[in-house]
């Protein structure tokens, strides 16, 4: 195991967050091209979300860690932070486009030649958990509420997003990403972009991520995120 302590804007019990690499393994990302692979790292962080899974697409060093030292200064690194979505990513629920957004991000990283996709399973339901999320889905289906309305009704809160992203940003630092490297943050959520700025990254670009097919139901939820949560259009 590899363990590091990293200073972050948010600490756990006034201590720097610790990052421990528990395991890693290769993933084959194509049925026809054996060269299209990624390496998945399981990193344990001593924050609320604990388990982070980071898919890296790019060249590896002799220790099977990301080889980032010789990246061209003009080369952007694709970065996607992916909160948990058990209902959409695993069970194909059609009220969100999370699964296709993930596939688009992976494909973009492959085409770019380098990228990181960070998956945080415990952030399902915007950090409220899967049981909370299932209740909101009932509200959406039976009472025709959008994703924001349903979350406020179930939680009785105005602030319905508990997620933080300092741990995800720290995972990239742990894996060797430097503050001056060019990052392209693939997201519609400005909070994720802000996390990189707070961490000291200075060379940031962003790209929106939208599924190729968006149903009327998903359009309703996307519009609510843009109107009430400040998501980018």
């Amino acid at each position: 195991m590899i363990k590091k302590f990293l200073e972050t804007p948010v600490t756990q019990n006034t201590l720097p967050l610790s990052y421990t690499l528990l395991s890693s393994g290769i993933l084959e990302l194509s049925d026809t091209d054996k060269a299209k692979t990624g390496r998945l790292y399981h990193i344990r962080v001593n924050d609320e979300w604990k388990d982070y899974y980071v898919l890296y697409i790019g060249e590896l060093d002799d220790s099977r860690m990301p080889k980032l030292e010789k990246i061209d200064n003009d080369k952007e690194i694709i970065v996607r932070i992916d909160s948990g979505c058990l209902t959409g990513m695993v069970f194909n629920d059609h009220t969100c486009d999370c699964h296709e957004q993930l596939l688009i991000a992976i494909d973009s990283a492959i085409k770019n030649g380098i990228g990181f996709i960070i998956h945080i399973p415990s952030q399902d339901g915007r950090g409220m958990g899967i049981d909370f999320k299932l209740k909101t889905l009932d509200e959406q289906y039976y009472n025709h509420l959008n994703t924001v309305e349903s979350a406020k009704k179930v939680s009785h809160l105005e602030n319905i997003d508990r997620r933080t992203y300092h741990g995800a940003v720290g995972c990239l630092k742990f894996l060797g990403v430097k503050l001056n490297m060019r990052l392209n943050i693939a997201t519609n959520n400005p909070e994720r972009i802000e996390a990189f700025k707070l961490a000291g990254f200075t060379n940031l670009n962003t790209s929106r991520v939208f599924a190729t097919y968006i149903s009327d139901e998903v359009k309703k939820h996307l519009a609510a995120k843009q109107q009430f949560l400040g998501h980018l259009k």
Side-chain angles (χ1 to χ4, degrees):
M1 291 192 302
I2 301 172
K3 187 169 186 174
K4 295 181 182 178
F5 290 91
L6 298 175
E7 294 287 352
T8 66
V10 180
T11 58
Q12 180 78 8
N13 297 326
T14 72
L15 296 172
L17 294 183
S18 67
Y19 294 76
T20 305
L21 178 60
L22 298 180
S23 60
S24 68
I26 193 167
L27 303 187
E28 296 187 30
L29 303 176
S30 171
D31 292 329
T32 57
D33 188 348
K34 298 289 284 186
K36 289 185 178 180
T37 62
R39 191 158 193 87
L40 186 65
Y41 300 91
H42 178 193
I43 300 173
R44 176 72 51 79
V45 182
N46 66 328
D47 67 358
E48 179 178 0
W49 316 113
K50 293 184 174 61
D51 291 298
Y52 292 74
Y53 298 86
V54 184
L55 176 64
Y56 167 69
I57 294 166
E59 191 175 354
L60 299 170
D61 63 19
D62 292 338
S63 300
R64 296 176 183 167
M65 297 294 285
K67 189 174 183 178
L68 305 174
E69 298 83 2
K70 296 183 179 180
I71 294 178
D72 190 290
N73 290 335
D74 295 328
K75 186 70 172 178
E76 285 189 331
I77 301 173
I78 301 291
V79 176
R80 166 80 177 171
I81 298 178
D82 208 46
S83 297
C85 182
L86 180 69
T87 52
M89 290 184 180
V90 177
F91 294 109
N92 200 31
D93 175 53
H94 284 207
T95 61
C96 75
D97 59 347
C98 294
H99 182 69
E100 189 171 356
Q101 283 196 28
L102 173 62
L103 296 180
I104 290 171
I106 292 174
D107 187 58
S108 297
I110 292 173
K111 290 177 179 176
N112 185 58
I114 185 169
F116 292 88
I117 288 86
I118 307 163
H119 182 63
I120 317 170
S122 56
Q123 286 192 353
D124 210 333
R126 299 191 188 94
M128 301 279 200
I130 183 61
D131 297 315
F132 169 83
K133 183 181 182 180
L134 292 176
K135 293 176 182 177
T136 68
L137 293 178
D138 262 5
E139 292 295 337
Q140 292 167 31
Y141 184 82
Y142 292 110
N143 296 323
H144 312 292
L145 302 183
N146 64 45
T147 181
V148 175
E149 293 167 335
S150 61
K152 288 183 176 181
K153 181 175 180 180
V154 173
S155 68
H156 305 289
L157 298 171
E158 282 300 310
N159 181 10
I160 57 170
D161 195 340
R162 296 188 61 257
R163 294 172 294 181
T164 57
Y165 303 109
H166 51 276
V169 175
C171 285
L172 293 187
K173 291 182 177 181
F174 175 86
L175 293 172
V177 178
K178 306 300 183 185
L179 295 178
N180 63 344
M181 290 181 173
R182 296 187 64 194
L183 305 184
N184 188 328
I185 314 301
T187 186
N188 307 321
N189 187 343
E191 293 295 328
R192 291 172 176 167
I193 301 168
E194 186 64 21
F196 284 91
K197 293 179 179 178
L198 288 173
F201 285 89
T202 58
N203 207 344
L204 298 176
N205 192 13
T206 61
S207 55
R208 309 292 177 265
V209 183
F210 294 106
T212 54
Y213 170 75
I214 301 177
S215 67
D216 289 340
E217 187 72 12
V218 172
K219 287 179 183 177
K220 178 178 73 174
H221 298 315
L222 291 177
K225 291 178 185 179
Q226 292 165 359
Q227 180 178 355
F228 299 108
L229 302 179
H231 283 208
L232 305 172
K233 298 182 179 180

